[in-house]
């Protein structure tokens, strides 16, 4: 069975990766797909996010990387995924995720949403927290894969250099 794991992944964290690894043990294939959401202004361009995911999942068999815009259920159907996987960190995630899951069911009743509880030691992690820590020079090595840590350092060094020149 194939599962779709959609998200912004701006950037990929070790929490996301943990979910991908666990899903890869349960499903024949995990399609990790970056949603190009027009209402969100990402820090990393699409191609860079895809590369971060490809690099971090290189050694995992059964993991595919893709991207999409529009409806998640339509993409799930087009890539042959019967299940959409979402991670739950805390109750605060639950209400919104449940609303989306119900909506998706009304759109495509045969596509199931599966929630997986995140690992306890990753439950505080989010892409936004990682960006805040990196922006102020904090160490993010325990939060993101090595390639993402390098990308974050480059991004915020470049921004700091730009700000000191023009800011
Ligand atoms: P979105 O904008 O779709 O919420 P995210 O990249 O923030 O995109 O999250 C994608 C998925 O990964 C969501 O299901 C989210 O709950 C899950 N997720 C986010 N952070 C973690 C984490 N620390 N551990 C496990 N799953 C997570």
């Amino acid at each position: 069975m194939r599962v779709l794991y959609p998200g912004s992944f701006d950037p990929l964290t070790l929490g996301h990766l943990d979910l991908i690894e666990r899903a890869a043990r349960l499903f024949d294939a995990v399609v990790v797909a970056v949603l190009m959401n027009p209402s969100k202004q990402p820090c990393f361009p699409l191609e860079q996010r895809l590369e971060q995911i490809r690099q971090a999942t290189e050694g995992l068999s059964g993991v595919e990387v893709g991207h999409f815009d529009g409806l998640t259920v339509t993409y799930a159907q087009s890539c042959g995924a019967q299940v959409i996987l979402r991670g739950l960190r805390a109750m605060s995630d639950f209400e919104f995720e449940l609303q989306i899951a119900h909506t998706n069911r009304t759109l495509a009743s045969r596509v199931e949403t599966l929630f997986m509880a995140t690992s306890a030691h990753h439950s505080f992690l989010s892409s936004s927290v990682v960006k805040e820590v990196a922006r102020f020079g904090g160490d993010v090595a325990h939060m993101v894969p090595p390639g993402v840590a390098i990308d974050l350092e480059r991004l915020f060094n470049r921004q700091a250099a730009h700000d000191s020149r023009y800011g």
Side-chain angles (χ1 to χ4, degrees):
M1 195 178 271
R2 291 165 68 79
V3 64
L4 169 66
Y5 181 37
S8 310
F9 306 111
D10 186 39
L12 180 79
T13 69
L14 291 182
H16 295 132
L17 195 56
D18 172 61
L19 225 69
I20 296 168
E21 285 167 355
R22 287 158 58 203
R25 291 200 287 270
L26 295 173
F27 291 90
D28 300 314
V30 183
V31 183
V32 184
V34 178
L35 166 64
M36 296 179 291
N37 186 342
S39 64
K40 282 190 183 176
Q41 181 60 43
C43 262
F44 292 105
L46 173 69
E47 199 40 61
Q48 196 172 5
R49 281 180 280 162
L50 293 173
E51 193 45 43
Q52 290 167 347
I53 301 169
R54 279 190 211 110
Q55 210 181 76
T57 59
E58 220 168 35
L60 286 175
S61 67
V63 176
E64 300 167 23
V65 183
H67 60 90
F68 68 104
D69 54 14
L71 293 175
T72 305
V73 285
T74 306
Y75 183 70
Q77 285 163 332
S78 76
C79 67
Q82 299 93 325
V83 178
I84 294 171
L85 174 68
R86 296 288 290 173
L88 287 182
R89 282 163 295 188
M91 277 307 284
S92 48
D93 282 340
F94 184 72
E95 208 169 324
F96 176 70
E97 292 295 341
L98 193 64
Q99 190 183 359
I100 301 290
H102 282 312
T103 307
N104 283 341
R105 182 182 277 270
T106 63
L107 296 169
S109 61
R110 297 173 74 92
V111 179
E112 290 289 347
T113 297
L114 179 76
F115 296 121
M116 213 184 251
T118 65
S119 299
H121 59 292
H122 290 134
S123 61
F124 71 97
L125 254 186
S126 68
S127 298
S128 347
V129 163
V130 164
K131 283 181 280 194
E132 277 311 290
V133 173
R135 185 188 308 276
F136 296 109
D139 183 15
V140 291
H142 58 300
M143 301 180 185
V144 294
V148 174
I150 294 170
D151 286 351
L152 282 163
E153 198 181 326
R154 282 207 191 112
L155 174 74
F156 291 117
N157 278 344
R158 211 181 317 125
Q159 279 187 4
H162 179 274
D163 291 350
S164 71
R165 198 170 308 150
Y166 305 105

